[in-house]
Amino acid sequence: MQRKKPAKLVWTQAWRRLNKKGATDAVIKKRARRTNKVARAVVGLSLDDIRKRATQKSEVRSAQRDAALKEVKARKTANKSKSGKKSVQGGGQVNKVPKNVKRAQKGASQRRFGDCRANKSKSGKKSVQGGGQVNKVPKNVKRAQKGASQR
């Protein structure tokens, strides 16, 4: 007869531990700590400046934004009036080439189809200038010629 697992028997300590029975008053739930937000200074602003801006009213902020926009527009119109006179004398617009179109490189067609194919045979070795094939001498003939020169 096989034994039963103690965790499956209701009256055992193992079962009580698994199913969290008993000892409820001894274990009190731990309190989770809340993370505290910390304000830090940014490169352009000190901590005091950041706090001032946060406490500012929205009307003041919108008034500042409007004033800055007016200043930028005034600057643009001043620049247009100055540059407008120069552009009228200069003439028409310059044609811009789109970035995705590649320019034709000098001699690109020669590199693709020209000399590189003519100088190489199918085996990849350069052929001798003069149009003829390289004369290959069989190995046994080479050996015979070497032996004759040594005698």
Side-chain angles (χ1 to χ4, degrees):
M1 191 166 156
Q2 282 186 325
R3 290 187 59 172
K4 291 196 174 186
K5 283 187 179 178
K8 290 192 175 186
L9 295 171
V10 181
W11 52 268
T12 58
Q13 201 65 38
W15 183 89
R16 291 182 72 77
R17 242 182 266 121
L18 259 179
N19 293 288
K20 296 176 183 166
K21 304 292 176 189
T24 52
D25 56 332
V27 179
I28 300 169
K29 218 176 194 182
K30 287 185 179 178
R31 285 174 111 187
R33 278 192 181 175
R34 282 222 164 159
T35 55
N36 296 331
K37 288 188 178 179
V38 179
R40 281 188 164 178
V42 187
V43 176
L45 296 168
S46 68
L47 193 58
D48 297 330
D49 293 339
I50 293 171
R51 285 191 181 136
K52 280 179 191 173
R53 285 193 181 188
T55 56
Q56 244 180 10
K57 289 186 178 178
S58 61
E59 297 104 29
V60 177
R61 251 186 266 139
S62 60
Q64 284 179 343
R65 192 181 307 117
D66 292 338
L69 284 172
K70 283 178 185 175
E71 184 188 336
V72 170
K73 283 182 182 177
R75 230 185 294 143
K76 276 188 179 178
T77 54
N79 287 341
K80 265 193 178 177
S81 62
K82 287 180 185 176
S83 63
K85 294 173 185 174
K86 292 179 184 176
S87 64
V88 171
Q89 293 171 354
Q93 294 176 340
V94 179
N95 291 337
K96 288 186 178 179
V97 178
K99 289 183 180 180
N100 60 355
V101 177
K102 290 185 179 179
R103 293 184 195 147
Q105 293 178 346
K106 194 174 184 181
S109 61
Q110 288 179 352
R111 255 184 261 133
R112 270 196 215 137
F113 306 112
D115 299 328
C116 61
R117 280 193 189 166
N119 289 343
K120 288 186 181 179
S121 63
K122 286 183 181 178
S123 63
K125 296 179 182 177
K126 285 190 176 181
S127 61
V128 178
Q129 293 293 329
Q133 289 183 341
V134 179
N135 293 333
K136 289 190 176 181
V137 181
K139 289 183 180 177
N140 57 1
V141 176
K142 282 185 182 177
R143 286 186 195 136
Q145 289 174 349
K146 278 186 184 177
S149 64
Q150 286 178 356
R151 292 180 194 161

